[in-house]
Amino acid sequence: MAPDLYAVIDWTAAPVFLDKELQAIEVPDGPPGDGRLYADKLVQVRHRDGADAWVLVHVEVQGGDTGPQATARITHRMYRYRTRIEDRHEMLSAQAGQPPPALFSLCILVASRSGPDHLEYRREFLGQGVSFSFPIVHLSQWLGRWKALASLARTNPFAVVIMAQLQALRHHGAQRVGPTLSLARLLYEYGYTRDQIRSLLRLIEWMLRLPKDVEPAYAAALQRIKQERKMGYTLVIERLGMEKGEALGEVKGQAKLLLRQIERRFGPVDAKTTQRIQSAQSADLETWSLNFVDATTLEDVFRD
């Protein structure tokens, strides 16, 4: 996205998100009825020379075109943020006897596949004016470079986040279960730490927004992935005992959730159906839970 920026950041120092700093700088949203969704982030990073640097990121979540009106709105917003950040913190830094942090502006268009690699805000009158340019990333161009992106994801968690966003663009509703699980499996296969996996999965799940109806099936499948990739050694007899208890609890939980979903949609079920669900194996329960997503009758739930 921004190789020059990546090269000068000291990645041994964890980035810090300055949400409160950004909230203190009031920049109005777009015009009423604009219909766009966007997010602005201010991130503090460490420069390789030891100084602090800030990165201003503007993300267009919806739309993504770079027509004249859209370009004017984006460039004006980026310019206003930058000038307000500089005004505010040059004064604070001077009072503290420190140089102000360097500021890098970056715009990401989520749905755009092509366009200019820089945008520019310009105002002129009688030979006087201001000019401010910044790089722009067309995120959807990575749809045609999926293998390269997956390779980068082995060591770069930002690539994982991009993969999640692209999957959110391509799939909707229950179709997002498979891509979400595929990304989760990659995290385990690539050897991310437990804390990294938890943080990335939380972000991935938020970005893909699975429907409530498919959450139980997703949770059960995710649990199996976790069990497959569980590290550490225990005695066989201990492991078998733990696995038996965990498996039993998981199956009971699957059955209970499926019954609740069926009763909510189709009403109370008879004792025979209840017994069938409560005595079913995990694989059957997963199949029925996925069937439930688009089932219009109770019989549809139990189809092969």
Side-chain angles (χ1 to χ4, degrees):
M1 283 189 177
D4 294 342
L5 174 64
Y6 183 87
V8 300
I9 292 178
D10 177 5
W11 292 104
T12 63
V16 178
F17 288 88
L18 305 176
D19 290 346
K20 291 183 179 179
E21 294 286 347
L22 202 58
Q23 291 169 5
I25 304 168
E26 296 182 1
V27 173
D29 292 342
D34 187 30
R36 291 177 175 272
L37 298 175
Y38 48 79
D40 296 298
K41 284 291 182 181
L42 185 62
V43 187
Q44 179 176 300
V45 295
R46 181 69 54 80
H47 195 280
R48 287 188 181 274
D49 65 7
D52 287 335
W54 287 3
V55 181
L56 174 63
V57 183
H58 173 83
V59 182
E60 286 279 341
V61 182
Q62 184 176 322
D65 68 275
T66 51
Q69 291 185 349
T71 298
R73 182 178 55 81
I74 294 171
T75 56
H76 191 206
R77 184 177 182 84
M78 292 288 282
Y79 173 74
R80 294 184 69 184
Y81 257 133
R82 187 180 183 95
T83 54
R84 294 192 182 195
I85 290 171
E86 289 176 340
D87 286 345
R88 175 180 173 85
H89 290 282
E90 282 184 1
M91 179 184 65
L92 295 177
S93 296
Q95 292 174 351
Q98 299 175 346
L103 184 60
F104 184 91
S105 300
L106 175 68
C107 177
I108 300 174
L109 296 183
V110 173
S112 177
R113 291 197 181 207
S114 62
D117 58 6
H118 277 74
L119 290 181
E120 182 179 19
Y121 175 78
R122 181 183 294 273
R123 293 188 68 176
E124 291 183 330
F125 180 68
L126 297 179
Q128 300 180 11
V130 296
S131 175
F132 164 54
S133 65
F134 52 91
I136 181 170
V137 176
H138 303 273
L139 194 63
S140 287
Q141 68 184 356
W142 282 94
L143 283 169
R145 303 172 59 191
W146 191 259
K147 289 184 178 180
L149 192 59
S151 179
L152 289 172
R154 290 183 177 275
T155 56
N156 190 336
F158 293 108
V160 179
V161 176
I162 293 173
M163 293 171 77
Q165 180 59 64
L166 293 177
Q167 292 288 26
L169 288 174
R170 297 173 66 186
H171 303 281
H172 302 279
Q175 296 176 347
R176 291 179 172 179
V177 174
T180 308
L181 290 172
S182 295
L183 290 173
R185 190 178 294 277
L186 280 180
L187 296 179
Y188 283 95
E189 290 178 356
Y190 288 172
Y192 283 93
T193 67
R194 181 178 179 180
D195 288 342
Q196 287 174 325
I197 290 174
R198 287 176 60 87
S199 298
L200 286 169
L201 272 181
R202 185 179 296 113
L203 181 58
I204 290 169
E205 291 171 3
W206 175 80
M207 294 173 74
L208 283 133
R209 294 184 179 87
L210 298 177
K212 290 290 185 182
D213 286 349
V214 303
E215 285 184 349
Y218 162 76
L222 182 61
Q223 181 65 22
R224 282 195 295 278
I225 293 174
K226 292 169 64 177
Q227 292 298 325
E228 292 170 5
R229 298 292 170 178
K230 183 180 289 184
M231 294 179 290
Y233 184 80
T234 59
L235 294 174
V236 171
I237 190 170
E238 294 174 345
R239 178 172 56 79
L240 292 177
M242 289 188 294
E243 289 177 354
K244 183 177 180 181
E246 290 172 353
L248 181 60
E250 179 184 339
V251 171
K252 287 184 177 180
Q254 285 180 274
K256 184 177 180 180
L257 282 170
L258 181 58
L259 273 172
R260 289 175 59 187
Q261 289 178 307
I262 289 175
E263 289 175 347
R264 179 173 295 182
R265 181 176 297 181
F266 302 115
V269 298
D270 56 36
K272 183 178 179 180
T273 301
T274 300
Q275 177 61 29
R276 182 181 183 184
I277 293 174
Q278 291 177 339
S279 60
Q281 299 296 313
S282 178
D284 290 330
L285 290 170
E286 181 180 350
T287 298
W288 297 341
S289 295
L290 290 173
N291 289 346
F292 176 81
V293 173
D294 55 5
T296 57
T297 67
L298 183 59
E299 290 72 21
D300 289 340
V301 175
F302 299 104
R303 67 179 184 271
D304 294 332

